[in-house]
Amino acid sequence: GAGVSQSPSNKVTEKGKDVELRCDPISGHTALYWYRQSLGQGLEFLIYFQGNSAPDKSGLPSDRFSAERTGGSVSTLTIQRTQQEDSAVYLCASSLLGGEGTDTQYFGPGTRLTVL
Amino acid sequence: GQQVMQIPQYQHVQEGEDFTTYCNSSTTLSNIQWYKQRPGGHPVFLIQLVKSGEVKKQKRLTFQFGEAKKNSSLHITATQTTDVGTYFCAASGGYQKVTFGIGTKLQVIP
C-alpha cells in the first residue's frame, strides 16, 4: 500500500512569507508526528496528533508554527513569517499506535524548506 | 514522553571493524525502537524491542534491551560501507509519544 507522502518535496520561499507543508499519513494510522531536521542534525520533535485527543504541541519552537489534522487524516504544518533559521527538512511520520508493538513510525520523504 | 540519551554522536570506523551505539534512559521504557537514516534519506524502522533482556539479530546487526529496560544497544559486526548513516533509538511508552535520541552518525572508511 501507499506510504506516507509529503508535499511539496522542496519549497523555496522568501523571508517573511508564510508556507504550508502537507502530510498524507498511511490510511488508518491514528498517530501523526511532525519533526524538523537541520542539515546533519538529529530529529527535532515539533507536534504529535493522536486520534481525537488534543495535539501535543510542546515541540513547536515559536507561535509562528502551527499544525492541523483534519478528519484524523491529512495534516498541514504552517509556518508564518518564515525566518532563515526555519530552513530545514520537515519530516512527517505516522503510526498505527493501537497498543504495545504497534508504535513503528513510517516516515515520509520530507519537505526541504529553504528560506532566502 | 520518555527521555533518551544516545552515544556516541559520531563514530568513524575502518571497514571491517565493529561498531556499537548506546541508548540510555533514566526511566523504565515500555519498548525501544531503532531506525536508520541513510545520507539524504529519511529514517527507516529497523526493529522494536519489548521484553527485558531481549536480544534480536538481523544479519550483522545485534540489538539488545537491558534487563532493567532502561538501556539498549545496537552492535554491527564487520562494518561495510553500506552501513553508513545515522542510527536513532526511539523510546516508546505504548500509547505515549515516541521520543527519538539524537542519533549516532556512522562513517565507514573503506
Side-chain angles (χ1 to χ4, degrees):
Chain A
V4 178
S5 61
Q6 291 185 246
S7 61
S9 54
N10 279 284
K11 177 71 177 178
V12 180
T13 190
E14 292 180 347
K15 178 181 173 181
K17 301 272 187 171
D18 297 353
V19 295
E20 278 191 358
L21 311 180
R22 177 186 168 108
C23 172
D24 283 86
I26 293 173
S27 178
H29 278 196
T30 58
L32 186 148
Y33 299 77
W34 282 98
Y35 298 92
R36 179 168 69 176
Q37 188 172 38
S38 300
L39 187 63
Q41 301 301 307
L43 294 169
E44 178 187 2
F45 165 77
L46 296 177
I47 190 168
Y48 164 58
F49 296 91
Q50 164 51 14
N52 295 321
S53 302
D56 178 346
K57 304 179 182 180
S58 60
L60 295 179
S62 77
D63 58 8
R64 296 186 296 104
F65 288 73
S66 63
E68 289 184 340
R69 188 177 185 194
T70 54
S73 181
V74 172
S75 178
T76 302
L77 176 69
T78 302
I79 309 173
Q80 296 178 309
R81 305 182 302 281
T82 52
Q83 303 294 311
Q84 289 183 332
E85 59 262 29
D86 298 334
S87 297
V89 175
Y90 289 81
L91 290 161
C92 173
S94 71
S95 70
L96 185 59
L97 206 60
E100 191 96 349
T102 60
D103 296 341
T104 302
Q105 291 193 37
Y106 297 86
F107 283 81
T111 294
R112 182 175 298 277
L113 174 66
T114 304
V115 182
L116 301 176
Chain B
Q2 313 288 350
Q3 298 292 322
V4 289
M5 301 291 292
Q6 194 173 351
I7 55 171
Q9 199 168 341
Y10 302 95
Q11 185 80 57
H12 290 193
V13 298
Q14 288 288 141
E15 188 173 17
E17 290 182 340
D18 293 355
F19 159 76
T20 305
T21 174
Y22 301 89
C23 193
N24 300 297
S25 171
S26 58
T27 60
T28 301
L29 304 172
S30 176
N31 56 64
I32 197 155
Q33 302 165 13
W34 286 93
Y35 292 78
K36 177 183 178 182
Q37 183 176 24
R38 293 180 185 276
H42 57 271
V44 174
F45 175 80
L46 293 176
I47 208 159
Q48 177 165 275
L49 304 172
V50 178
K51 299 176 183 175
S52 169
E54 189 169 16
V55 178
K56 287 189 177 180
K57 293 191 174 187
Q58 289 179 352
K59 297 183 180 178
R60 294 176 297 102
L61 277 61
T62 302
F63 304 84
Q64 289 189 312
F65 202 8
E67 292 290 341
K69 298 183 72 173
K70 290 186 176 181
N71 55 71
S72 180
S73 65
L74 158 59
H75 179 82
I76 303 179
T77 304
T79 54
Q80 300 176 359
T81 54
T82 52
D83 296 326
V84 165
T86 301
Y87 293 83
F88 293 97
C89 64
S92 175
Y95 285 91
Q96 294 179 36
K97 178 183 71 184
V98 172
T99 303
F100 278 79
I102 196 169
T104 297
K105 185 176 292 185
L106 173 64
Q107 186 63 255
V108 179
I109 305 163

